[in-house]
Amino acid sequence: MKVKRITLKQWAVGFAMTSLLTGCTTNDTEPAQGSFDTPNVPVRAASDIQGELTYQDVLQKGEHIHFVKPSPDGSRLWLGTHVGLYGTASQKLWAETPEDLALDDIRGAFFDPEETEHVYVTGQGVAKRSRDGGETWEPMITGLPDQPDILGLTGVRQKDQVNLYVYVSGMGIYQSRDGGDRWELMEELQQLNQEVYAIDYNAYEERLYVLTQNGLLSAQEGKWESEVIEGVERVFSLAIDNQHNKMYLSTDQGIMVKEEDSDWEMLSQDVPERLSAISPGHSEDTLIGIGDSAIIYFYENGEWKKWQ
């Protein structure tokens, strides 16, 4: 199974077809900021940030979209792309992160749920962190191979400690127990001889999950086990909501959900299009997804809506 990346050309074709079918205008695809319930916003909200880019500008500059994620407090939406990291700003515009990340291929991100100004990103030869909400960045490469091809990043806060995990192509899983100060290869885990597309950590199960070309795997006692999902042949995206102990999958059958010790269940078959990237929203039972057309969708109360 090959997970499809979104290119500008593919977006243009997909958007044109979507416009013909739905009658939407260009503004229909421009995400607005502040759509989440944010009772406490310790970092700058999108309404306070000046942006200069439309959503179409982001797609043209970024080339490929790897992920879509909200800040833990819900104040901003972030896109990791082949060329830079972008966040929502005022007036339905987007802001590009500083020159520190301007040319970086950003494939993964972790936002500290408690220290919400702490952001971690990784990608092709990239491992950086910010302690001021994305204004400035510093490398976190000690212990990693030179120019690592990092295909995924996840993390979990355990009391006063942030544990980070990355999958380095051809090498395996690396772990940092100190928020990126130093990395170590998890030699106890078997090397995966298959392409990996995503990695995430389930805090309730204390288990790592990876999405590969052959499906979903989880690590248990140093071994990788296949996750069987009845009726599903292809999985496109993985997202874990550790705040509410839920896992989500975007599949060829729709969106599946798994809560704590329960089995996988269908959350939504009525998906507007194939969602190549999904992320938990700020509140429970909400999801954000991005389709092959590059339109961003928001799921709440059993309905999918375009991000407007």
Side-chain angles (χ1 to χ4, degrees), residues 2 13 24 41 70 75 83 91-92 104 115 127 134 157 169 174 179-180 188-189 193 202 205 226 274 276 295 302 306:
K2 183 70 174 177
V13 173
C24 69
V41 182
S75 61
V83 187
Q91 303 301 314
K92 294 188 178 182
D104 290 337
E115 300 289 341
R157 171 169 280 278
S169 180
Y174 281 77
E188 67 274 17
L189 284 180
N193 296 319
N202 188 312
E205 298 178 353
S226 296
R274 190 180 93 165
S276 53
I295 292 176
K306 292 178 185 176

Side-chain angles (χ1 to χ4, degrees), residues 12 59 135 137 167 171 180 188 191 205 236 268 280:
L59 293 170
E135 302 239 353
W137 298 84
Y167 181 80
M171 302 295 293
E188 67 274 17
Q191 175 65 17
E205 298 178 353
F236 307 125
S268 172

Side-chain angles (χ1 to χ4, degrees), residues 51-58 61 86 92-96:
E52 298 180 350
L53 303 174
T54 67
Y55 186 45
Q56 288 73 29
D57 292 334
V58 172
K61 289 171 66 69
Y86 302 85
K92 294 188 178 182
L93 295 175
W94 293 75
E96 187 175 6

Side-chain angles (χ1 to χ4, degrees), residues 6-54:
I6 303 166
T7 66
L8 176 61
K9 181 178 180 180
Q10 291 167 337
W11 169 80
V13 173
F15 177 65
M17 290 299 295
T18 303
S19 298
L20 289 172
L21 292 172
T22 65
C24 69
T25 64
T26 300
N27 288 335
D28 287 336
T29 67
E30 291 182 357
Q33 71 286 348
S35 296
F36 293 112
D37 178 21
T38 55
N40 298 300
V41 182
V43 297
R44 288 198 301 163
S47 58
D48 298 327
I49 298 172
Q50 296 301 311
E52 298 180 350
L53 303 174
T54 67

